[in-house]
Amino acid sequence: MKRFISKYRHGLVIAVYSIIYILLFSYLEHRPVHSYHIVHTVFDDWIPFCEFFIVPYMLWFPYMILAVIYFIFFNKNKHEYYQLAFNLMMGMTVFLIVSYVYPNAQHIRPTEFPRDNIFTDIVKWLYSTDTPTNILPSIHVFNSLAIHMSLTNCEALRNKKLIKAASFTLTALIIMSTMFLKQHSVIDVCMGATLALFGFLVFYPRRVSVASESVCFREVKRKKSEN
C-alpha cells in the first residue's frame, strides 16, 4: 500500500481539491441568498428543449473521471497531469468565487415537457437534484474543454486520431446539451469557453508558441516563394 501511495501520490492533488470543491459548492447551493442575478439572453428562447441531450450531458461525469484516472495511473508524463489538474482547479475556483460574489440563476427550464419518455424522466430527476442557481460560468463547458485540451496535447496520444475525434465529438455534444436541456444560458456557455481559452493560454504556453512559430514559418515561406 505504501508503495502504491508513493507511486501515485501526485493524484492526491486533484483528489483533495475535489473534496474541498464539493464542500464549498454544497455551501453555495444551500446558503441563504436574498436575490439572484438572472442570466438570460434572447438566444436562450430560440434554442428548443431536447431531452435526448441528457445522454451526452450525463456522459460528462465518466468523461471527466476516466480522463483524470488516465493521467494519474496510465500516463507517465506527470507534467501533463499537473497541467490538467491545475487547469481544472483554476477554472473551478474561479467558478466558486463568481458564484459567491455574484449569485446567479436562470429561469429557462420548461415547466411542461413536449414528450413523455425515459429521457424526460431523467431530466426531471436532474432538475430535482440540481438547482438552477450558480450556473455562471458553466463548469460542464469549462471542464469538458479542459479535458479535451489535455487529451489533444498529450504526447502519448499524439497519433491516436480516434481518441481525439471521439473527445472532440463528446465535448461538442456536452456543450450543446447544456443549452438544449435548459441547464445553462448561452452566456454561461460563452463564459465557460472563455475561461477554458484562458486556461489553455496559461497552462499550455508551449503549444501556443509552437503554433505561432508554425504560422510565421509558413508566412515567411509563402513570401519567399512569391519573390
Side-chain angles (χ1 to χ4, degrees):
M1 177 61 73
K2 290 183 179 179
R3 185 177 180 181
F4 178 84
I5 295 175
S6 176
K7 184 176 181 180
Y8 299 110
R9 63 180 181 274
H10 54 283
L12 292 174
V13 173
I14 196 68
V16 171
Y17 180 83
S18 296
I19 295 173
I20 296 173
Y21 172 82
I22 291 172
L23 293 174
L24 291 176
F25 179 74
S26 178
Y27 163 75
L28 290 172
E29 285 284 277
H30 298 96
R31 67 171 176 152
V33 177
H34 298 294
S35 62
Y36 286 95
H37 300 272
I38 303 303
V39 180
H40 181 266
T41 71
V42 66
F43 302 108
D44 300 322
D45 302 327
W46 295 350
I47 300 174
F49 170 82
C50 183
E51 72 274 17
F52 302 112
F53 275 96
I54 190 64
V55 175
Y57 187 88
M58 298 304 292
L59 285 177
W60 175 80
F61 297 97
Y63 180 48
M64 280 276 301
I65 294 171
L66 291 176
V68 172
I69 288 175
Y70 168 75
F71 280 97
I72 293 176
F73 297 104
F74 300 100
N75 186 30
K76 297 180 180 180
N77 191 327
K78 290 184 180 180
H79 174 70
E80 292 178 346
Y81 159 74
Y82 284 115
Q83 282 180 309
L84 171 61
F86 287 120
N87 192 15
L88 289 175
M89 290 190 292
M90 178 278 298
M92 295 165 79
T93 300
V94 169
F95 163 77
L96 292 173
I97 294 173
V98 171
S99 298
Y100 181 78
V101 301
Y102 185 77
N104 53 85
Q106 51 97 336
H107 294 322
I108 58 177
R109 288 179 174 180
T111 55
E112 296 182 357
F113 296 95
R115 292 165 292 276
D116 186 16
N117 51 46
I118 187 174
F119 300 105
T120 54
D121 290 340
I122 300 175
V123 173
K124 291 176 184 177
W125 169 82
L126 176 65
Y127 284 0
S128 67
T129 58
D130 185 22
T131 66
T133 60
N134 303 316
I135 58 173
L136 178 72
S138 170
I139 286 299
H140 252 68
V141 171
F142 169 78
N143 281 358
S144 297
L145 289 170
I147 291 295
H148 180 64
M149 286 188 294
S150 69
L151 295 176
T152 54
N153 286 281
C154 177
E155 193 66 26
L157 302 177
R158 181 197 300 178
N159 298 320
K160 305 294 183 179
K161 295 182 179 180
L162 183 60
I163 293 178
K164 292 181 179 181
S167 174
F168 175 82
T169 302
L170 182 56
T171 296
L173 288 173
I174 290 173
I175 293 173
M176 292 170 63
S177 74
T178 64
M179 295 177 284
F180 279 97
L181 292 178
K182 302 301 180 179
Q183 278 289 89
H184 285 282
S185 166
V186 172
I187 294 178
D188 309 330
V189 173
C190 291
M191 291 299 99
T194 301
L195 187 59
L197 175 60
F198 174 77
F200 177 73
L201 295 175
V202 171
F203 295 102
Y204 298 90
R206 187 182 65 83
R207 182 78 177 189
V208 176
S209 62
V210 169
S212 300
E213 290 175 3
S214 178
V215 172
C216 291
F217 176 76
R218 288 198 299 268
E219 183 65 20
V220 171
K221 188 175 180 180
R222 183 185 65 81
K223 288 182 178 180
K224 285 184 177 181
S225 63
E226 290 177 352
N227 296 332

